[in-house]
Amino acid sequence: MNIKHITKQWPFRPMPVGWRKKEWDSVREAKTIADLVPISHRVMDHFSPNPVFLVSGPISTGGILKPGTEDADIKANLQCFNQAVETLFKGGLLLFNQIPFEDLFVPVNKAWKIEHPDTYCMPILEDFYRGLFDHKHLQGIVLIPGWESSFGANWEVKTITSLRKNVLDLPVDWHKKKPEEVAVHIASLDIVKRYKRKRPVSRIASYAMQ
């Protein structure tokens, strides 16, 4: 899927921490969704040799819905994503935040729907996330409650499991708890203890939503 007409509009927001200008600017040169994979790998390489996890949950389908509709509230879902990343980082996990790419995928999805109405934009999953999941430092995903309502999250669970990587769950009431309480829960998991950071990280791939 050619996305050059969309990437030329990059960036959609200021560059977040965890990125370097060379990678940030290279997104503008991407012609296909697959071209974004090596960029995401270079961002993840910054955290070497630390293991990295990825948040998974509803964005374009399911999750928080627009009032009175069955349509996903993408902005609200992305805000939820960022909150989960910040909370999990406090719990001891290093998180790759895909929100900069998801910002790009919003117009990509809209363009897809024009030509393929009532179908999911599979290139986002098959051309980007499948390649992202292959990174050697990515150890698994962390699911936001309600992920079952998301087509993409279901695909991610199936794919990450087939790669024999890990699937973690946020507590059902995580959004009602203080970040510190959720962090304590995450830090207590045996799998998290196994993947404690090998060295300090001064910059993380997340940022406050504008």
Side-chain angles (χ1 to χ4, degrees):
M1 180 179 180
N2 191 298
I3 59 171
K4 184 60 180 176
H5 62 294
I6 296 174
T7 54
K8 69 180 182 181
Q9 303 173 44
W10 182 270
F12 294 91
R13 63 177 70 244
M15 183 175 69
V17 296
W19 285 67
R20 294 173 183 171
K21 191 174 187 302
K22 182 178 180 180
E23 289 128 11
W24 189 251
D25 291 343
S26 65
V27 173
R28 186 186 294 271
E29 304 304 317
K31 297 180 180 179
T32 68
I33 292 177
D35 290 341
L36 301 172
V37 173
I39 299 173
S40 70
H41 282 197
R42 290 197 295 273
V43 174
M44 211 177 299
D45 284 341
H46 297 169
F47 308 124
S48 177
N50 296 289
V52 183
F53 283 78
L54 182 80
V55 171
S56 177
I59 295 181
S60 62
T61 59
I64 302 172
L65 304 179
K66 295 179 180 179
T69 75
E70 295 184 358
D71 298 328
D73 188 327
I74 295 177
K75 182 177 180 179
N77 281 335
L78 287 175
Q79 289 175 332
C80 183
F81 251 73
N82 200 65
Q83 182 183 352
V85 170
E86 298 291 350
T87 299
L88 289 164
F89 184 80
K90 292 179 181 178
L93 284 185
L94 192 58
L95 272 293
F96 174 82
N97 191 338
Q98 67 269 46
I99 291 180
F101 291 106
E102 287 296 344
D103 281 340
L104 186 66
F105 293 154
V106 171
V108 167
N109 190 55
K110 288 182 179 179
W112 173 270
K113 292 292 187 182
I114 293 176
E115 297 185 11
H116 309 277
D118 301 321
T119 63
Y120 193 91
C121 185
M122 291 304 295
I124 293 176
L125 299 177
E126 296 173 345
D127 295 349
F128 177 74
Y129 278 101
R130 182 60 183 81
L132 177 65
F133 287 173
D134 281 333
H135 194 282
K136 62 182 180 180
H137 292 312
L138 184 69
Q139 298 300 324
I141 59 177
V142 184
L143 297 170
I144 294 175
W147 65 269
E148 299 91 344
S149 63
S150 166
F151 179 92
N154 277 276
W155 181 93
E156 290 174 11
V157 169
K158 181 179 180 180
T159 303
I160 209 76
T161 301
S162 71
L163 295 172
R164 297 185 178 181
K165 297 191 177 187
N166 302 289
V167 177
L168 305 179
D169 291 280
L170 273 172
V172 175
D173 58 348
W174 75 277
H175 59 291
K176 297 180 180 178
K177 295 179 178 291
K178 295 180 179 179
E180 294 76 14
E181 294 177 314
V182 179
V184 168
H185 168 78
I186 295 297
S188 69
L189 298 177
D190 289 339
I191 193 172
V192 175
K193 293 178 181 178
R194 188 196 319 167
Y195 292 118
K196 281 297 184 181
R197 298 173 195 162
K198 299 179 181 179
R199 65 173 175 80
V201 177
S202 60
R203 300 189 304 170
I204 61 173
S206 63
Y207 62 101
M209 296 294 293
Q210 301 295 322

